[in-house]
Structures are given as structure tokens and as C-alpha cells.
Amino acid sequence: MSWFALDLRQCATNIIHTNVTSMKWHTCPRSNNERIAPMLADLLATAHRYQVKGLLHVCTQRMADTLNADNCVARLTLADTLEIGLPTQLRTRALQVILEHYTEVCATWQFKQLSQNATQDEQASRIFAQINEAVAQKLNRCPYFWTQPCSPTAA
């Protein structure tokens, strides 16, 4: 790695750390989630690009803590896009939220886009398969699986 690249990485690390500290990221109240949410994905992608592991962990944890039916598909897609170790916890938690709020998630624009693109886009197909696999596993644990229909939220 060249001196310039190392210097650029250190500079980016310092800027990100300063911004995160000034925003008081760790203690940000839940009421500020809507204001911070758009920054999370960009900050996580930047931390991934410059390999700032501490920030990766903070962003991943914050994203996992603020998952809901509206954002879980987008965050599952982001975790898949980055393909790094830390978003595994984000991926797992996103799938849990999808199962817990399956009906609501299916009504979201992101889920509808994902299902439409699943036949044409490799990433969408992979993510849609992960969701379907999680739903199938949940259905197989349903105590009345063989005798009556079971929704993913029943088990």
C-alpha cells in the first residue's frame, strides 16, 4: 500500500472518528433514529471501505438495534453487499425481524422490489433465497405444520 493510501486511510479514520464522537453516536436517543438512519448506511460503507473496524462494529450494532419492518430488507441487502464478518449479526437480526413482522415486511416497497428483481439480479435472488430459507425453517418448527397451515409468525 502506498504512503498516500495509508495517509488517506488515516485521514478518513480521523474524520469519521471526529464526526461520530461529535454526534455522540453511542448515546443517541431512540427519538433521533429517523435523523441518523440515512447516515448509518453511508457511514458503514465508508468504515468498510477504509477498514475502520471499531466504527464497523458501532454502525453494525446500531443498525441491528434499530431494525424494523420498514428497513430490514434494505439493511439485509447492505449486509449482503458488504460481505464482511460484522454484518453477519446484522444479517441474522434482519432475518429475525422479517420473520417477526412477515406480513408487514411483505407489504413494503423494498420487499416488493426484491421479489420482482429476484429472477433477474443475482444479489436479489440470493437475499430472497435467504428470506425463503428462514421462513421455511420457521414453518418446519411449527407444532401443527402437518395438520394445518402455519404462518411464519405463529412459531
Side-chain angles (χ1 to χ4, degrees):
M1 195 178 291
S2 71
W3 173 84
F4 178 74
L6 287 173
D7 191 47
L8 183 60
R9 180 176 173 207
Q10 184 59 45
C11 181
T13 301
N14 292 341
I15 290 168
I16 292 168
H17 178 70
T18 301
N19 287 336
V20 170
T21 304
S22 68
M23 290 183 343
K24 298 188 183 204
W25 196 264
H26 298 290
T27 59
C28 185
R30 295 256 185 235
S31 61
N32 289 332
N33 286 345
E34 293 79 25
R35 185 174 58 91
I36 291 173
M39 292 184 278
L40 275 172
D42 292 337
L43 195 55
L44 181 64
T46 303
H48 175 255
R49 179 177 181 179
Y50 293 106
Q51 301 172 4
V52 184
K53 295 199 184 306
L55 185 58
L56 276 169
H57 180 71
V58 170
C59 290
T60 301
Q61 184 63 46
R62 185 68 173 173
M63 289 182 100
D65 289 345
T66 57
L67 279 165
N68 59 46
D70 294 326
N71 64 22
C72 60
V73 172
R75 292 186 181 178
L76 179 61
T77 303
L78 179 63
D80 184 78
T81 301
L82 296 180
E83 293 181 353
I84 55 177
L86 287 171
T88 301
Q89 111 189 40
L90 180 59
R91 183 181 294 115
T92 302
R93 183 68 186 116
L95 286 170
Q96 288 173 345
V97 170
I98 289 170
L99 293 177
E100 291 167 6
H101 304 282
Y102 189 72
T103 305
E104 295 170 57
V105 171
C106 288
T108 64
W109 178 83
Q110 287 119 350
F111 186 83
K112 290 176 183 175
Q113 283 295 114
L114 183 71
S115 63
Q116 287 175 357
N117 295 337
T119 58
Q120 302 156 354
D121 179 24
E122 184 180 325
Q123 182 185 31
S125 175
R126 186 174 51 248
I127 294 168
F128 201 65
Q130 290 175 10
I131 294 170
N132 287 334
E133 182 180 334
V135 169
Q137 288 176 359
K138 184 106 177 182
L139 286 174
N140 284 333
R141 290 193 305 260
C142 181
Y144 304 106
F145 181 69
W146 298 110
T147 60
Q148 64 187 26
C150 180
S151 73
T153 56

